[in-house]
């Protein structure tokens, strides 16, 4: 029971309170870049959830069974970014071969994910002792998953708003990026309200 | 096939060179980083042990095992002695997840386990709200309190919370309470 | 003459933040004070400079197929060096930039310049390009940091600027997450406006 409530707290924390995009500023580039259309936002979101979960698992194993035992923790950055890059490539190949339909909808987003700092960010955050989570394999994976969900939620919300925005009359200089950023700011303001949920 | 082996070899060599450079630099900087951290910790220990800022007595600290942290590393508390080798109190490091990161506090205690002084040494709380816990007017709110008095005003205690940051205040209070309880159990033995 | 052009383009015409809208994560995350903004900007400039030099030197011997992983290794190495050096010599700055130092690896500006410029030009031009882009990035961060610190704390670089009354109850939202998005949104809008006037 306690485990379940711990997981619930973590889910709420990762999705709403400490949202990766709006509170931690991770994954801003795809958040602004791929949020013009609802279905591509959804595709990107799914791809990110998948890669973040996988990356959390693999980097945890690398850290615990490779970097720490050999005392080479200073290689963390290099090891993780290479792992993530190869992981993304590998996932791309597997999906392309086994699930062409899925590849059609996710494929274009996969290469973009390597430079999505949310993936490297979650991998590093999982392994710092002070992220407020129990330090173990299962929680790292769950944290990766829920952080990805949090990313997807705000990405999809943003895409929904921006699709409607196409029809709004705006001053010419506000169009595009400026208004997207201001909307993102308003969303961040709204998400600040979740702070009271902390128990 | 041969071509791919060559590619792999080139990548391998690149990584090996990078690793070599980093290993060398790590050997240079690691002791410096450790020194900086140790010095910071020592200064904080001294600060919470001194009677006031002008206290020029020298103190020595003897580490004792407190508990394991979540990563399995040992955490210590320190028994403070003055230059006559009399026990003057304890120094404790308390740490707990606050609003957006761990809040770490060094706590000076007298022999009766009452708080002499606290100092927040590490925090990533919201600027302007929770981050006010490093302001000079925050630490005195804890002075003189014992284990049972560590409660913020929202929970019926006497510690005044930072406006808009009850979570941070409660985290600090609770973290000290948990570690202090452990310390008292260890010392009672 | 062209060297000068490569240098200055990063400041205004192709400013990575204001015009190209790249490297958004650190731009938004570490600009709550001028000091952090400056630290981040200069660290990124250093990494960019070193990676541009190396990439430009090895461009002839790198097989095209594996150039991206090799660039990533080069960048990650320099990021780790910055990380170590900062922890040893500037511990307070290291603490406040935290996670965003390793994340310089995935800053799209750096990989972008390696791929788009340094792998095609000679060392001298690459140095100019790196300095221009890096300092342009730093400049953008400092502008954002100045506005946010002034509004959110009434100070610049820690020095009180606005009257005490304001400092006691500043517009806190400017240094919180929403303020980052909104401030940048308005800056971009103003730049759009100026661009249109200029034409």
């Amino acid at each position: 029971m306690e485990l379940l409530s711990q997981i619930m707290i973590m889910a709420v924390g990762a999705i709403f309170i400490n949202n990766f995009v709006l509170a931690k500023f991770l994954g801003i580039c795809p958040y602004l870049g791929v949020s013009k259309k609802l279905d591509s936002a959804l595709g990107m979101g799914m791809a990110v959830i998948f890669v973040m979960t996988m990356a959390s698992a693999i980097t945890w194993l690398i850290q615990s069974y490779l970097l720490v035992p050999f005392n080479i923790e200073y290689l963390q950055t290099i090891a993780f970014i290479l792992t993530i890059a190869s992981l993304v490539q590998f996932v791309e190949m597997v999906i392309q071969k086994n699930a062409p339909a899925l590849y059609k909808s996710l494929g274009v987003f996969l290469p973009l994910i390597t430079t999505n700092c949310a993936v490297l960010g979650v991998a590093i955050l999982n392994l710092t002792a002070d992220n407020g989570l129990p330090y173990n394999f299962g929680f790292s994976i769950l944290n990766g998953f829920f952080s990805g969900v949090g990313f997807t939620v705000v990405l999809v919300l943003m895409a929904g708003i921006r699709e409607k925005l196409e029809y709004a009359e705006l001053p010419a200089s506000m169009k595009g990026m400026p208004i997207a950023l201001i909307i993102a700011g308003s969303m961040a303001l709204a998400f600040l309200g979740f702070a009271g949920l902390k128990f | 096939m041969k071509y791919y082996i060559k590619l792999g070899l080139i990548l391998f060599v690149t990584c090996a060179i990078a690793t070599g450079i980093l290993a060398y630099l790590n050997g240079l900087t690691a002791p410096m980083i450790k020194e900086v951290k140790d010095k910071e910790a020592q200064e904080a220990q001294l600060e919470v042990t001194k009677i006031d800022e002008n206290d020029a007595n020298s103190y020595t600290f003897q580490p004792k095992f407190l508990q394991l942290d979540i990563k399995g590393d040992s955490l210590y508390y320190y028994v403070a002695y003055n230059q006559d080798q009399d026990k003057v109190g304890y120094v404790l490091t308390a740490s707990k997840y606050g609003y957006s990161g761990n809040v770490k506090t060094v706590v000076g205690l007298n022999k009766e386990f009452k708080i002499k002084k606290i100092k927040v040494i590490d925090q990533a709380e919201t600027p302007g709200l929770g981050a006010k816990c490093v302001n000079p007017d925050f630490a005195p709110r804890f002075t003189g309190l014992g284990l049972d008095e560590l409660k913020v005003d929202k929970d019926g205690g006497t510690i005044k919370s930072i406006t808009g940051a009850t979570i941070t205040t409660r985290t600090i209070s609770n973290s000290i309470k948990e570690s202090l309880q452990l310390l008292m159990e260890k010392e009672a033995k | 003459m062209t060297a000068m052009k490569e240098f200055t383009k990063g400041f205004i015409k192709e400013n990575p933040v204001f015009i190209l809208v790249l490297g958004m994560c650190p731009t938004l995350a570490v600009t709550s004070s001028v000091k952090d903004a400056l630290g981040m900007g200069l660290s990124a400039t250093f990494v960019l400079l070193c990676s541009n030099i190396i990439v430009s030197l090895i461009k002839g011997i790198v097989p095209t197929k594996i150039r991206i992983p090799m660039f990533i290794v080069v960048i990650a190495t320099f990021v780790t060096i910055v990380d170590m050096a900062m922890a040893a010599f500037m511990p307070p700055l290291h603490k406040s930039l935290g996670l965003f130092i390793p994340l310089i690896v995935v800053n799209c500006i750096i990989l972008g310049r390696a791929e788009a410029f340094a792998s095609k030009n000679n060392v001298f031009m690459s140095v100019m390009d790196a300095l221009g882009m890096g300092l342009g990035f730093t400049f953008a961060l400092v502008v954002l940091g100045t506005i946010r610190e002034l509004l959110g704390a009434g100070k610049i670089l820690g020095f009180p600027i606005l009257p005490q009354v304001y400092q006691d109850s500043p517009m806190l939202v400017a240094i919180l997450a929403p303020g980052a998005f909104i401030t940048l949104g308005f800056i971009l809008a103003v730049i759009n406006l100026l661009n249109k006037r200029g034409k």
Side-chain angles (χ1 to χ4, degrees), chain A residues 63 66-77 79, chain B residues 19 23 26:
Chain A
Q63 174 87 5
L66 221 61
L67 300 184
V68 173
F70 290 103
N71 235 337
I72 45 172
E73 279 147 302
Y74 57 90
L75 290 179
Q76 196 191 49
T77 313
Chain B
T19 310
N26 183 60

Side-chain angles (χ1 to χ4, degrees), chain A:
Chain A
M1 213 46 224
E2 201 194 332
L3 185 71
L4 202 66
S5 76
Q6 244 178 337
I7 293 174
M8 275 304 290
I9 291 175
M10 182 170 83
V12 173
I15 298 174
F16 296 111
I17 305 171
N18 283 319
N19 186 283
F20 254 50
V21 178
L22 297 176
K24 290 202 174 119
F25 299 114
L26 294 169
I28 307 276
C29 289
Y31 174 63
L32 295 171
V34 202
S35 59
K36 285 196 190 102
K37 288 235 161 54
L38 202 55
D39 40 342
S40 56
L42 210 57
M44 180 68 174
M46 292 303 145
V48 166
I49 294 179
F50 187 65
V51 173
M52 270 170 94
T53 315
M54 294 280 286
S56 294
I58 295 180
T59 52
W60 200 93
L61 293 174
I62 289 185
Q63 174 87 5
S64 309
Y65 293 105
L66 221 61
L67 300 184
V68 173
F70 290 103
N71 235 337
I72 45 172
E73 279 147 302
Y74 57 90
L75 290 179
Q76 196 191 49
T77 313
I78 292 196
F80 283 12
I81 188 69
L82 283 181
T83 312
I84 290 169
S86 349
L87 174 71
V88 171
Q89 199 91 57
F90 182 70
V91 168
E92 197 179 343
M93 287 191 311
V94 169
I95 293 184
Q96 191 174 13
K97 205 161 179 211
N98 299 324
L102 189 65
Y103 181 75
K104 236 180 171 176
S105 56
L106 294 191
V108 275
F109 305 111
L110 281 170
L112 285 175
I113 293 179
T114 310
T115 51
N116 181 344
C117 55
V119 181
L120 184 60
V122 80
I124 296 175
L125 278 177
N126 277 338
L127 297 164
T128 47
D130 63 351
N131 57 7
L133 299 174
Y135 182 80
N136 67 42
F137 188 51
F139 271 91
S140 291
I141 296 180
L142 282 175
N143 191 39
F145 175 74
F146 286 126
S147 302
V149 172
F151 173 82
T152 308
V153 167
V154 292
L155 184 68
V156 169
L157 282 176
M158 184 69 169
I161 297 174
R162 281 180 86 173
E163 273 193 350
K164 289 271 180 298
L165 213 63
E166 291 287 308
Y167 309 106
E169 263 187 58
L170 283 170
S173 52
M174 274 298 208
K175 272 187 188 147
M177 219 32 111
I179 192 68
L181 278 163
I182 290 167
I183 289 171
S186 318
M187 274 170 81
L189 209 52
F191 270 65
L192 268 188
F194 287 118
L197 283 177
K198 193 89 187 181
F199 1 171

Side-chain angles (χ1 to χ4, degrees), chain C residues 27-87:
Chain C
T27 305
L28 295 168
V30 300
T31 50
S32 58
S33 75
V34 181
K35 205 177 89 222
D36 292 358
L38 206 58
M40 184 59 180
L42 294 179
S43 314
T45 307
F46 173 78
V47 175
L48 181 55
L49 182 64
C50 296
S51 78
N52 256 14
I53 292 174
I54 301 288
V55 166
S56 168
L57 282 175
I58 61 172
K59 65 175 185 286
I61 51 170
V62 175
T64 19
K65 270 215 164 128
I66 53 163
R67 67 181 193 288
I68 300 286
M70 287 197 61
F71 294 167
I72 291 179
V73 172
V74 170
I75 296 169
T77 309
F78 286 114
V79 170
T80 313
I81 293 175
V82 168
D83 196 6
M84 287 171 178
M86 205 183 270

Side-chain angles (χ1 to χ4, degrees), chain C residues 3-185:
Chain C
M4 208 53 214
K5 217 177 81 201
E6 298 300 350
F7 179 68
T8 51
K9 73 177 180 211
F11 278 86
I12 299 151
K13 227 177 78 209
E14 286 181 37
N15 186 293
V17 174
F18 291 152
I19 308 294
L20 305 178
V21 202
L22 289 174
M24 281 294 110
C25 297
T27 305
L28 295 168
V30 300
T31 50
S32 58
S33 75
V34 181
K35 205 177 89 222
D36 292 358
L38 206 58
M40 184 59 180
L42 294 179
S43 314
T45 307
F46 173 78
V47 175
L48 181 55
L49 182 64
C50 296
S51 78
N52 256 14
I53 292 174
I54 301 288
V55 166
S56 168
L57 282 175
I58 61 172
K59 65 175 185 286
I61 51 170
V62 175
T64 19
K65 270 215 164 128
I66 53 163
R67 67 181 193 288
I68 300 286
M70 287 197 61
F71 294 167
I72 291 179
V73 172
V74 170
I75 296 169
T77 309
F78 286 114
V79 170
T80 313
I81 293 175
V82 168
D83 196 6
M84 287 171 178
M86 205 183 270
F89 298 107
M90 289 175 278
L93 188 63
H94 185 261
K95 223 181 243 174
S96 63
L97 294 182
L99 176 66
F100 285 91
I101 304 171
L103 288 186
I104 297 176
V105 175
V106 282
N107 188 327
C108 358
I109 300 173
I110 295 172
L111 189 59
R113 291 330 283 176
E115 167 77 354
F117 197 94
S119 61
K120 298 188 184 95
N121 288 280
N122 64 30
V123 177
F124 179 66
M125 284 299 183
S126 301
V127 167
M128 281 313 193
D129 177 72
L131 284 177
M133 280 291 166
L135 294 177
F137 178 62
T138 312
F139 166 70
L141 291 192
V142 169
V143 168
L144 200 56
T146 310
I147 298 175
R148 288 181 66 196
E149 197 179 345
L150 189 65
L151 290 178
K155 299 173 183 174
I156 290 177
L157 269 172
F159 294 111
I161 302 286
L162 294 175
Q164 191 63 41
V165 189
Y166 186 84
Q167 282 179 44
D168 287 339
S169 55
M171 202 172 101
L172 209 53
V173 74
I175 44 175
L176 299 182
F181 288 105
I182 295 174
T183 314
L184 186 61

